[in-house]
Amino acid sequence: MNHQEIKEEEEAAVRWAGCLDEVHARIAGRFARSEQRQRARAYLQGLLRPIERKNGWQLAEAAGEANPYGYQELLSRAHWDADAVRDDLLDLVREKLADCTAVVVIDETGFVKKGTKSVGVAPQYSGTVGKIGNCQIGVFLAYASPKGQVLMDREIYLPHEWTDDRHRCEEAGVPEEMEFATKLVLARRMLERMLAHHLPCAWVTADSVYGADYHLRRFLTEHHIPYVLAVPPQNQIRMGLDEGFASVGVDEWFARKHSGRWYRLSAGWGSKGPRWFEWAWRKMDAEVPDGWQAWIVVRRSLTDPTEVVYHRVCAPKQTTLQQIVDVAGQRWKVEEAIERAKGECGLDQYEVRSWTGWYRHVTLSLVAQLCATMMVEQANTAREKKAWEQQSSPSSLQQFKCQRGLVVH
């Protein structure tokens, strides 16, 4: 390693420590005792380290501790409020990543578990395994801006078999006032918190689990937030007077209305290059804010024309199809952010069972992901600055000519 490479490594280490210190300073006041503040910083540092498994024992070993009891205390009995730390996280996202073009994404992921004791665990469908499995489901709100993509809020989904069994909830530490809430309700709660923290965004997007909900779409239009929401083919649309105001599935509605024109557009870059699809859109009648328009937008696979995805879209009239396609493509970026949070920040590598433990670990994992995103952003800024300085600084020959008066300034 040469002198320049050593210097760059040292600069990276300084940035890394600086980001961690800055973020920890924002949340430190949420911990009642100094040893818990230090423990929280050590936990974040461990989540950011390249450790194979980021469970209590391996985090303790990496930190040079004999056992994980201190971390277990942090996630269970220590006095601090995970929701207050989440509020700090939302404020940090606004300060560090906010952009008026940002896209907010609602998504969920499964945490495969054994047994029946872990809070919220039940046989339920998880996209993580692609089938029904014994797992917990976490609903997340993500922020995708030009400065990076992060998960900024979280809720755990409790199925009826949990909320109907108060003894089971009591054993897992679920607050007594918690009642059954659908994933859609959890998503709206997180959107309300986002608005309360004044995070700017240009769009909201989500898959068909959320897009099919009329109340969510209504919530977004009432707050003048454009959206691109996937919907299932059977999602109902009311026809006009000529059709007797009949309700039909979005697939049938589009088949009747579509003129037959498709556009080949990329929904962003994937691991194998641009994600090309064929897209079509059609205006629809709907109650929208002044100056806005509603559309049905359809995505079709290039290799299998029967593989289609329908979207409800509501946005200002001047919106282009390419803009809508770009927003729809942000869902893949957020799926990647979830996978990075699991692989790099230990999002799914916890050994807690309780309500409190889940929220505390997951919240700190999201804080760690923000640290990592800030580090990347600072590194990119430093590289861009260095490249600009190299391009703008005169060469030694140019300097020689200037000194000898051989060039005109």
Side-chain angles (χ1 to χ4, degrees):
M1 183 177 291
N2 59 36
H3 176 73
Q4 182 61 31
E5 290 173 335
I6 294 174
K7 182 180 178 181
E8 290 176 355
E9 288 287 333
E10 291 175 345
E11 292 175 349
V14 170
R15 286 196 301 269
W16 191 93
C19 286
L20 182 57
D21 287 340
E22 181 181 2
V23 171
H24 178 255
R26 288 295 295 274
I27 68 172
R30 303 300 186 179
F31 300 87
R33 300 169 59 186
S34 60
E35 57 265 35
Q36 296 303 338
R37 290 194 288 271
Q38 295 169 4
R39 185 74 63 186
R41 189 189 187 284
Y43 198 80
L44 290 174
Q45 187 171 359
L47 291 174
L48 289 165
R49 284 178 172 172
I51 305 171
E52 182 178 359
R53 288 289 297 174
K54 297 176 181 180
N55 54 38
W57 279 103
Q58 293 207 16
L59 290 177
E61 182 180 348
E65 299 188 24
N67 56 62
Y69 302 152
Y71 292 128
Q72 292 171 356
E73 172 79 13
L74 177 72
L75 298 180
S76 58
R77 295 177 297 276
H79 183 64
W80 63 284
D81 185 353
D83 285 348
V85 173
R86 174 211 61 207
D87 290 341
D88 291 335
L89 173 61
L90 288 167
D91 289 337
L92 279 165
V93 171
R94 184 188 67 240
E95 294 170 17
K96 302 300 180 181
L97 303 181
D99 191 280
C100 61
T101 66
V103 177
V104 170
V105 187
I106 306 165
D107 207 350
E108 64 185 63
T109 190
F111 303 95
V112 179
K113 294 293 174 183
K114 297 179 180 179
T116 61
K117 298 296 185 181
S118 297
V119 62
V121 69
Q124 49 194 331
Y125 178 81
S126 167
T128 304
V129 295
K131 60 181 181 180
I132 294 177
N134 200 54
C135 62
Q136 299 165 311
I137 297 295
V139 183
F140 292 88
L141 199 66
Y143 195 77
S145 84
K147 299 177 183 179
Q149 297 84 39
V150 295
L151 307 177
M152 62 180 177
D153 204 346
R154 74 292 175 264
E155 292 283 3
I156 191 167
Y157 170 67
L158 295 182
H160 276 293
E161 62 190 86
W162 272 84
T163 55
D164 292 344
D165 188 340
R166 299 316 302 178
H167 177 69
R168 191 181 189 188
C169 286
E170 183 179 348
E171 284 187 329
V174 178
E176 187 177 350
E177 65 273 14
M178 285 298 161
E179 298 180 351
F180 175 76
T182 67
K183 299 173 186 177
L184 305 167
V185 170
L186 298 178
R188 289 201 299 275
R189 288 176 184 172
M190 292 189 288
L191 287 169
E192 288 169 355
R193 289 197 289 264
M194 179 199 77
L195 294 174
H197 285 262
H198 308 291
L199 270 90
C201 71
W203 296 85
V204 167
T205 187
D207 66 19
S208 58
V209 172
Y210 303 93
D213 182 36
Y214 166 81
H215 299 288
L216 175 61
R217 300 195 304 268
R218 186 67 181 174
F219 173 87
L220 294 172
T221 54
E222 287 177 350
H223 288 84
H224 287 71
I225 302 175
Y227 61 76
V228 178
L229 300 174
V231 293
Q234 65 271 22
N235 186 247
Q236 294 293 297
I237 295 179
R238 186 174 295 277
M239 303 293 286
L241 176 62
D242 294 342
E243 294 86 3
F245 299 109
S247 292
V248 298
V250 65
D251 52 352
E252 182 180 344
W253 181 92
F254 190 78
R256 294 186 188 184
K257 300 290 186 178
H258 185 224
S259 62
R261 185 171 183 183
W262 294 83
Y263 303 85
R264 183 170 296 190
L265 300 170
S266 169
W269 285 77
S271 59
K272 299 180 181 180
R275 290 188 170 99
W276 293 103
F277 295 93
E278 288 186 325
W279 300 80
W281 61 338
R282 181 77 181 186
K283 292 180 180 179
M284 62 177 296
D285 293 328
E287 186 178 347
V288 299
D290 291 340
W292 284 38
Q293 177 63 53
W295 294 271
I296 294 297
V297 177
V298 184
R299 187 190 80 201
R300 184 171 73 179
S301 169
L302 297 181
T303 56
D304 182 3
T306 64
E307 185 180 319
V308 297
V309 176
Y310 297 91
H311 303 82
R312 281 182 179 262
V313 179
C314 186
K317 288 181 178 179
Q318 65 270 25
T319 300
T320 66
L321 180 58
Q322 182 64 66
Q323 287 176 303
I324 295 170
V325 170
D326 291 341
V327 173
Q330 292 295 324
R331 279 185 49 214
W332 282 297
K333 287 189 177 182
V334 171
E335 289 175 2
E336 294 166 3
I338 291 176
E339 292 307 310
R340 288 199 308 272
K342 289 182 176 182
E344 300 173 8
C345 302
L347 180 65
D348 63 343
Q349 296 171 22
Y350 52 86
E351 296 175 333
V352 296
R353 290 182 174 181
S354 70
W355 171 277
T356 297
W358 189 89
Y359 273 97
R360 289 184 171 186
H361 169 80
V362 169
T363 300
L364 290 175
S365 180
L366 301 194
V367 172
Q369 187 186 44
L370 175 64
C371 285
T373 304
M374 289 170 55
M375 294 169 194
V376 172
E377 173 64 16
Q378 289 188 14
N380 291 339
T381 301
R383 281 195 295 269
E384 292 172 1
K385 180 180 178 182
K386 183 178 179 180
W388 182 85
E389 289 174 345
Q390 289 176 344
Q391 291 177 357
S392 60
S393 61
S395 64
S396 57
L397 177 59
Q398 186 75 2
Q399 290 176 338
F400 174 81
K401 289 181 177 181
C402 290
Q403 292 169 358
R404 296 298 187 274
L406 299 177
V407 295
V408 177
H409 294 284

